[in-house]
Amino acid sequence: DLCYEEDSRAAVDMNLVMTGAGRFVELQATAEQHAFDDPQLAQMLAMGRKCIAQLIEMQKQHVKL
């Protein structure tokens, strides 16, 4: 979650939690300034999936140490 200063400036507040297998645990998105459309949602999901995959890989590497 972002700090208040960053969160208050966000156009969309989106929480995305996924399992290592790519299944959704939580998906919540709220337009803070302007409504968003399907392509924007798809872009946010794609970016979220990529970042979550990177975090999972980092966690796996840490466990190996």
Side-chain angles (χ1 to χ4, degrees):
D1 203 9
L2 298 173
C3 66
Y4 174 77
E5 291 78 22
E6 292 175 328
D7 194 41
S8 65
R9 293 190 310 252
V12 175
D13 186 356
M14 183 173 183
N15 300 325
L16 179 59
V17 181
M18 299 180 77
T19 67
R23 297 180 57 88
F24 293 105
V25 174
E26 178 184 359
L27 173 58
Q28 176 185 354
T30 303
E32 297 289 346
Q33 298 175 13
H34 302 285
F36 54 90
D37 58 21
D38 285 347
Q40 290 167 316
L41 177 59
Q43 184 179 17
M44 288 185 283
L45 286 173
M47 186 181 302
R49 285 180 192 273
K50 178 181 176 184
C51 292
I52 288 171
Q54 290 172 347
L55 288 171
I56 290 170
E57 187 58 36
M58 290 168 62
Q59 290 173 333
K60 288 178 180 178
Q61 294 301 318
H62 182 73
V63 170
K64 290 180 183 178
L65 297 176

